[in-house]
Every structure is written in structure tokens, then in C-alpha cells.
Amino acid sequence: MQNQKNVKNNLLIILKGFIIGSSMSVPGVSGGTMAILLGIYDNLISAISNFLKDIKGNLIFLIKFSIGAGVGIGSLAFLIKWLLDKFPFFISFFFLGAVIGGIPALYQKTKESSLRISSVLYFLLGLVIVISIGFIPTGNIDVSIGSGVAHYLMLLVTGVVIALALVLPGISTSHMLIVLGMYDSMLLAITKFDVIYIGILGFSTLIGVFLVTKPLEWTMKRFPHQTYCIIIGFVVGSTSEIFRDKILPAVPVNAGFGWWIPSGLISLVIFALGYKAILVLSKFSND
């Protein structure tokens, strides 16, 4: 019986890693957001920030998660990207449903019985921060070009920035890569198996994750109410990028009732599927 429970827990960790890894290619959807919605965020933060306290246990947990995330990034991420390119209007509503479906669980983490003005202010702070990041121009910075020591030092700095996007919920990793001019070069490096490029970026990202998680864990434990109100703002704000970059551009200029009625109905169904999917997965969040 215990073995069956262990197998189930291991499979859930790998599955959640798979979902998080595959979703990271979607602009507006962050790995941190999905980790919170799937109930594995606190465990990840704790395993990283307290790594030296239980090296074996934390390492095994992170390896299981990384296996799932790696498979997700290497397989389903490209399928999701293809679906978003082909059917951006409909597929985006699935992710909107998934994000909205996780908000009630996030609100429970604020440990608040009634809504307060301070909660709204913290929520608005998170909302404004993420929406502002979404409007950072994507053509002014490009650290993917160049060579030599200076170039690789910039890759190290970029890795730390990516780590922030990975750890902080609501910050889209793919969008930050686009802002830094790294998105296309990163995909190219993966397809060409550029070990040096990926290795430096991966190493610097790992350093950044370890630097960020400790203060973040302290903040979440010391100020859970304020932190999760801001996180809810992050998560809600992250949907703006999906609307701006995927949904609105997919609407035909001359769209009439003949397009809006069937498209609207299909979108509602897909939105409900995404919402339901997160609710089902959240049942296993404490396993």
C-alpha cells in the first residue's frame, strides 16, 4: 500500500513538472504560476532554498520534477507552440481557463476571511507590475548577438533574469526571453545542441534560482497575506499578454455574427475545459 502511494506521488511530481515545462513556451503563462496552481510551488521553493539541509531528499525531489519538466519542454512545448500558431484564439482560452481556475486556491492561501482595502492595494500592485512588464519594448535589447568573454558574461546576467521569471509567479519566461532578444536564439541553440550556449545559460539560471528562492520563501512565510495578494495580481495580470498577443490579433478585421457566435461558443467550452482541468489537478495538490 505504501509502495503504491509512493509510486502515485512520484508520478504526480513528474506529471506536474511535465505540465509546467510544456506551458513555459506560452506567452503570458509562467512556470511559477502553473507551479502554484498545481500545488507544487511551495515544495519547489523549499527544496531549493533548504537544499543543504536535506541534500538527498531535495535532490531526488528536484530530479523527479526536472525529468517531467524536461520532457515537457522537449516535446509538448513545441506542440503547444504549433497549436498557438495555428489556433491562437481557441487555444489561448484554454490557458485563460486554467489560470482563472487557480485563483480561488490562491485566495485561500491569503488566509483572509473577508476582503480588505489593503488586499485590493496589494493585488493592484502585482497587477500593475506584470502589465508594465508586458509593455517593455522587445526590439531595444538583444544579448543573443556578439562573441567573446563579454558576450558570455551577458549570458550569465541573462540567466539570472530568466531565474526571476521562472521563480516569480505571473512573470512569463518566454516573454522575458523575447524582451532580451533570446527567444529565437534559445530555440536555435536547443535544435543545434549548442552545449556551451545552453550550459552557460543553464548554469547562470540555476545560480539565479538559488539566489532568489531564499528571500522569496522568507517573504511568503513572514508576510503570506500580502505576498499572495500580490501573486494573485501577478497571475491576473499575466492574462493581459495572452489577450494582447494571441487573442486580439486572431480576430478577423471584418468579423461578423457568423464568426463571433460559433467562435464564442467554442471558446467558452475550451475555457471551461481549462478551468476544469486545473480544478481536477488541484485535488492532488497536497498529495
Side-chain angles (χ1 to χ4, degrees):
M1 194 71 177
Q2 184 63 35
N3 289 336
Q4 289 181 343
K5 186 176 181 179
N6 290 336
V7 171
K8 178 184 175 183
N9 288 338
N10 291 336
L11 289 176
L12 279 174
I13 292 171
I14 294 173
L15 175 62
K16 290 176 181 181
F18 178 82
I19 296 171
I20 292 167
S22 61
S23 68
M24 284 168 57
S25 66
V26 183
V29 178
S30 78
T33 296
M34 291 306 298
I36 284 184
L37 299 184
L38 295 173
I40 199 173
Y41 186 79
D42 292 344
N43 292 336
L44 282 170
I45 294 296
S46 178
I48 295 170
S49 63
N50 301 301
F51 184 78
L52 296 178
K53 292 182 179 180
D54 181 12
I55 296 178
K56 181 180 178 181
N58 289 330
L59 183 61
I60 291 174
F61 173 80
L62 291 173
I63 287 175
K64 288 185 287 189
F65 174 81
S66 299
I67 289 173
V71 174
I73 292 172
S75 58
L76 196 58
F78 294 98
L79 174 60
I80 290 176
K81 189 176 185 301
W82 180 82
L83 288 171
L84 280 169
D85 290 338
K86 294 293 183 181
F87 313 102
F89 190 84
F90 301 115
I91 301 302
S92 294
F93 273 96
F94 179 87
F95 288 101
L96 283 177
V99 171
I100 300 301
I103 290 177
L106 287 176
Y107 184 76
Q108 290 179 359
K109 289 181 176 290
T110 65
K111 305 183 185 302
E112 186 178 72
S113 57
S114 60
L115 192 64
R116 292 181 291 182
I117 295 178
S118 61
S119 305
V120 177
L121 293 176
Y122 287 121
F123 165 77
L124 291 175
L125 175 62
L127 186 70
V128 170
I129 289 173
V130 171
I131 291 178
S132 299
I133 290 174
F135 283 98
I136 295 177
T138 57
N140 296 339
I141 308 172
D142 192 348
V143 299
S144 64
I145 58 176
S147 59
V149 176
H151 174 59
Y152 289 116
L153 285 175
M154 283 303 300
L155 287 183
L156 287 171
V157 175
T158 302
V160 176
V161 175
I162 294 172
L164 285 169
L166 283 171
V167 174
L168 290 176
I171 311 297
S172 171
T173 307
S174 60
H175 179 76
M176 291 306 298
L177 286 171
I178 292 171
V179 168
L180 294 168
M182 295 284 293
Y183 189 79
D184 291 334
S185 61
M186 186 65 188
L187 288 180
L188 184 63
I190 292 174
T191 57
K192 288 191 173 182
F193 298 101
D194 189 338
V195 179
I196 296 178
Y197 187 96
I198 296 173
I200 292 175
L201 198 58
F203 180 70
S204 58
T205 300
L206 186 63
I207 292 174
V209 168
F210 276 95
L211 290 175
V212 171
T213 50
K214 195 67 177 179
L216 182 61
E217 184 187 35
W218 180 86
T219 303
M220 295 176 75
K221 288 182 177 179
R222 184 70 177 82
F223 308 102
H225 168 73
Q226 295 91 332
T227 304
Y228 276 104
C229 285
I230 293 175
I231 286 175
I232 292 174
F234 282 170
V235 172
V236 174
S238 68
T239 63
S240 66
E241 189 178 341
I242 300 178
F243 272 105
R244 186 178 64 251
D245 294 346
K246 291 298 179 183
I247 294 178
L248 294 181
V251 177
V253 177
N254 58 346
F257 285 108
W259 185 89
W260 276 110
I261 292 176
S263 297
L265 291 174
I266 294 172
S267 299
L268 285 174
V269 172
I270 294 175
F271 177 90
L273 288 173
Y275 186 92
K276 184 65 176 178
I278 287 298
L279 291 181
V280 171
L281 287 170
S282 66
K283 292 179 180 180
F284 304 101
S285 65
N286 295 321
D287 289 358

